Amino acid sequence: MIALRDIHKAFGPKKVLRGVSMEVERGTSVSVMGGSGAGKSVLIKHIVQLLKPDQGEVWVKGQRLDLLDDDALDAMRLHIGYLFQGGALFDSMTVFQNLDFLLDRHTPLDKKERRERIEETLAWVNLRDKAPQYPAELSGGQKKRIGLARAIILEPEILLYDEPTTGLDPISVRTVADIIVRLRDERGITSVAITHDLLCADIITDNAYFLYQGEIIASGTMETLRRSPHPELRNFFGT
């Protein structure tokens, strides 16, 4: 479903990614872990081509994204949902309007059909009653779930999560993580999540990659990473 092959990325003299390769099978949930500044956000942005590699190949659904023209890339992006770390909701719009904005712009649905899709999606994240509210009226956990609702409103095949549970209490972490698992299990969505949150990672992860100084130093299940003798992983997991 997703393949990154020998990805290199630098910003001026700073080398952020140094030959990163990873595979994500269809219908699985992959976590990208590592300390601050390891290159996790830079890596995930290559999957949706918010960044292009200096060297290497980005493959999604059998197409090499880094070679697509703008129109083909825009079409591919409609199959990819992205949950930004801060939610990235439009503050001047209600929850309903935030979701309707995407449907109105990217689907042929009429007004009644868009409303039904929005109500169904909000019910999925258990926030149907929040449709008339503005982002400022929501808690941190609710904003994350509305951001997730917006990420799935176009019914993508792939979801990318940038720190989906940062700043949330343990109950909210479990709520968001359980939704991610349901999206995998009930909708077959393929997901890639950047996370520092071990509780979230333990719930959602089928396979994990650990990034250190721009290189993958370990991959496998969460248990495999926990058993690694590498000092960086031992420090990360507190073992």
Side-chain angles (χ1 to χ4, degrees):
M1 191 64 158
I2 301 170
L4 302 180
R5 299 174 181 166
D6 194 31
I7 301 298
H8 292 255
K9 186 65 179 179
F11 298 97
K14 182 176 178 57
K15 295 181 179 180
V16 179
L17 299 177
R18 306 166 181 261
V20 172
S21 296
M22 61 181 284
E23 301 271 347
V24 183
E25 296 182 5
R26 183 182 298 273
T28 64
S29 180
V30 165
S31 293
V32 179
M33 310 180 77
S36 298
K40 302 184 300 299
S41 292
V42 171
L43 177 64
I44 200 174
K45 287 175 181 176
H46 280 77
I47 299 173
V48 74
Q49 289 295 277
L50 293 176
L51 292 172
K52 290 185 176 292
D54 299 329
Q55 177 184 325
E57 302 175 1
V58 180
W59 292 83
V60 176
K61 295 184 62 184
Q63 296 190 62
R64 186 172 167 185
L65 262 60
D66 54 298
L67 297 183
L68 294 183
D69 61 30
D70 289 344
D71 289 342
L73 182 58
D74 285 344
M76 177 60 77
R77 283 172 172 159
L78 293 178
H79 297 277
I80 305 173
Y82 200 117
L83 177 61
F84 293 91
Q85 185 171 341
L89 299 173
F90 296 116
D91 291 335
S92 60
M93 294 182 180
T94 65
V95 166
F96 184 93
Q97 290 167 338
N98 264 278
L99 301 182
D100 192 47
F101 176 81
L102 291 179
L103 293 177
D104 187 36
R105 186 171 183 179
H106 295 296
T107 74
L109 300 178
D110 62 29
K111 188 174 182 179
K112 178 176 180 293
E113 291 170 328
R114 297 202 309 270
R115 176 174 292 279
E116 289 174 349
R117 173 81 67 86
I118 290 168
E119 289 176 350
E120 176 188 356
T121 304
L122 288 176
W124 234 87
V125 298
N126 199 28
L127 288 175
R128 190 171 179 175
D129 61 321
K130 302 300 180 183
Q133 296 190 328
Y134 288 88
E137 301 175 278
L138 305 174
S139 69
Q142 289 169 344
K143 286 180 182 178
K144 287 284 189 180
R145 287 152 63 193
I146 295 300
L148 183 51
R150 192 176 66 175
I152 65 174
I153 195 71
L154 296 179
E155 300 182 340
E157 297 175 63
I158 297 168
L159 277 173
L160 308 179
Y161 305 92
D162 189 353
E163 298 287 1
T165 56
T166 294
L168 302 185
D169 63 83
I171 294 175
S172 296
V173 169
R174 284 192 173 276
T175 299
V176 172
D178 286 344
I179 293 172
I180 294 173
V181 171
R182 285 181 59 213
L183 288 168
R184 178 197 65 194
D185 294 347
E186 298 179 24
R187 294 195 177 189
I189 289 178
T190 304
S191 64
V192 181
I194 295 171
T195 183
H196 287 95
D197 191 320
L198 295 181
L199 174 58
C200 176
D202 281 333
I203 294 171
I204 71 172
T205 303
D206 295 314
N207 193 41
Y209 290 85
F210 195 92
L211 198 58
Y212 177 62
Q213 295 184 349
E215 299 179 2
I216 299 293
I217 61 171
S219 64
T221 65
M222 289 294 291
E223 186 59 30
T224 298
L225 265 60
R226 280 191 169 89
R227 292 199 308 263
S228 171
H230 193 289
E232 188 65 24
L233 275 88
R234 293 180 64 83
N235 181 58
F236 186 86
F237 286 101
T239 56

